[in-house]
Amino acid sequence: MTLSLAQVAKDRGIKYFLISYTDLFGHQRAKLVPASAIEGMQSAGAGFAGFATWLDMTPADPDLFAKPDPASFIQLPWKPEVGWLAADLWMGGQPVAHAPRNVLKTQIARAAELGYQMKTGVECEFFLIQPDGSAIADAADTQAKPCYDQQALMRRYEVITEICDAMQALGWGPYQNDHEDANGQFEMNWLYDDALITADRHAFFKYMVKSIAEKHGLRATFMPKPFLHLTGNGCHMHVSLWKEAKNVFADAERPDGLSPVGLNFIGGLIHSADGLAAFLNPTVNSYKRISAPRTTSGATWSPNSVTWTGNNRTHMVRVPEGDRFELRLADGATNPYLMPAAVLAAGLEGLRSNRDPGPRLDINMYTDGHTVPDAKKLPLNLLDALRALDASEPLKAALGEVVPAYLKLKHAEWNDYARHLTQWERETTLDC
């Protein structure tokens, strides 16, 4: 039986609902709906002009309707009179095929046809910075190796604990919070779950962190590389595949603990990695994080090659334990829905095609990567990643309409970037 949002409003004291969707660029869009109108909105959806956000639409298109998913309901812990709802996009009586949440639900349904359920967890790194974005907010946070710095962590106790307390109240199961590898950078972890649940929580987490930071006079950013000399914001994704309540990645009989299913799934990611980068590293700035020079802490902690390993953080895919793998490619700008959709699509293709991930490499790729000359390299910029996605038959076949829509808008973004003249160009070329 579908949950009545009108009844939820009465039971929880909700005055307003945020009916929210995430567009192709990862931006969250919403209508603020009074509880008195939510019953109609639950059935018909909230109306939007699709072209006004980053979707492949025109001003001539009919109304876009965001139908809220009652299962995604979250009562804002810092403003309990407001409820948040993830929404699915419809137009002309049909789901919008290239809308990110719909794309993920389509991949989940395809996995279910094979009896599989993907479960994911995400590690969302972010900086707390000054409101104008010019520098980190904590002037005392200056260590060359600030990771896990106790003093810097506790100077942000009020912000971090308010966010963690909110996750506790929402039942997410947060289990640790830390100061990360860059000055001013933090990470907060909560328990893994079904891919759609995690994607909804990922989207809400970004909104929550930014909102609570603003409440404390700060600004939070998930930008991949906001400061060139510091480690960038990653979004490491932990992935496992389940069938009939059993983790099918786990195989204790094998040396690395990973089953043939797990290896083939990773093989799919290895095969499609350069095209995946277009979704997992979706901005011009993303490529200042991957394949970057070492930072002041001594390492970027991001991959530079398409390789996999055991418990070793210098590769794209890390297998810390045989029941899951960690994909270290994505950054903070990744779309919470397109990331798992693309990963699931590539992984399922790996299963269908019996993809071999290649040899497990137990070397430090930062120092010894040159000893593996045939290792495929990640794209050097967004344009290369977009071209790789356009050339990826497995991803285009699996993901359907979202690929041309995404490529169209992202190529326009790249062209806009290319039209800008930088100070570096003037300084190095003016006297040519």
Side-chain angles (χ1 to χ4, degrees), residues 76-194:
L76 269 56
W78 67 95
K79 197 180 290 290
E81 66 190 39
V82 179
W84 179 90
L85 293 154
D88 297 321
L89 298 184
W90 290 67
M91 182 179 284
Q94 298 293 324
V96 177
H98 72 272
R101 196 170 192 265
N102 292 344
V103 174
L104 175 56
K105 290 175 73 173
T106 297
Q107 296 306 313
I108 288 173
R110 289 178 179 170
E113 291 174 359
L114 302 173
Y116 292 123
Q117 177 193 22
M118 186 173 77
K119 296 186 179 183
T120 61
V122 290
E123 301 177 12
C124 301
E125 296 172 346
F126 61 93
F127 282 85
L128 291 175
I129 60 176
Q130 294 179 0
D132 66 0
S134 61
I136 65 170
D138 183 359
D141 189 351
T142 59
Q143 287 193 32
K145 279 188 175 290
C147 202
Y148 315 124
D149 179 24
Q150 181 171 273
Q151 292 295 127
L153 176 63
M154 292 305 290
R155 282 197 296 272
R156 290 289 173 244
Y157 176 85
E158 286 76 14
V159 180
I160 299 301
T161 55
E162 183 170 349
I163 298 168
C164 189
D165 288 346
M167 290 193 285
Q168 292 270 30
L170 295 172
W172 293 11
Y175 57 90
Q176 63 184 12
N177 313 293
D178 69 72
H179 188 293
E180 273 296 304
D181 191 62
N183 307 109
Q185 187 185 48
F186 299 86
E187 179 182 297
M188 308 178 71
N189 304 123
W190 67 91
L191 294 176
Y192 71 96
D193 212 314
D194 175 80

Side-chain angles (χ1 to χ4, degrees), residues 295-355:
T295 63
T296 54
S297 70
T300 65
W301 300 101
S302 59
N304 55 31
S305 301
V306 184
T307 54
W308 75 283
T309 186
N311 200 349
N312 177 337
R313 289 179 170 84
T314 65
H315 295 254
M316 189 185 82
V317 176
R318 178 176 78 108
V319 184
E321 299 174 25
D323 61 348
R324 72 183 192 281
F325 66 80
E326 177 192 47
L327 179 61
R328 299 179 60 81
L329 180 58
D331 61 50
T334 192
N335 189 300
Y337 299 99
L338 294 182
M339 173 177 69
V343 167
L344 182 54
L348 291 179
E349 192 278 333
L351 298 186
R352 287 192 300 272
S353 303
N354 197 32
R355 297 281 184 198

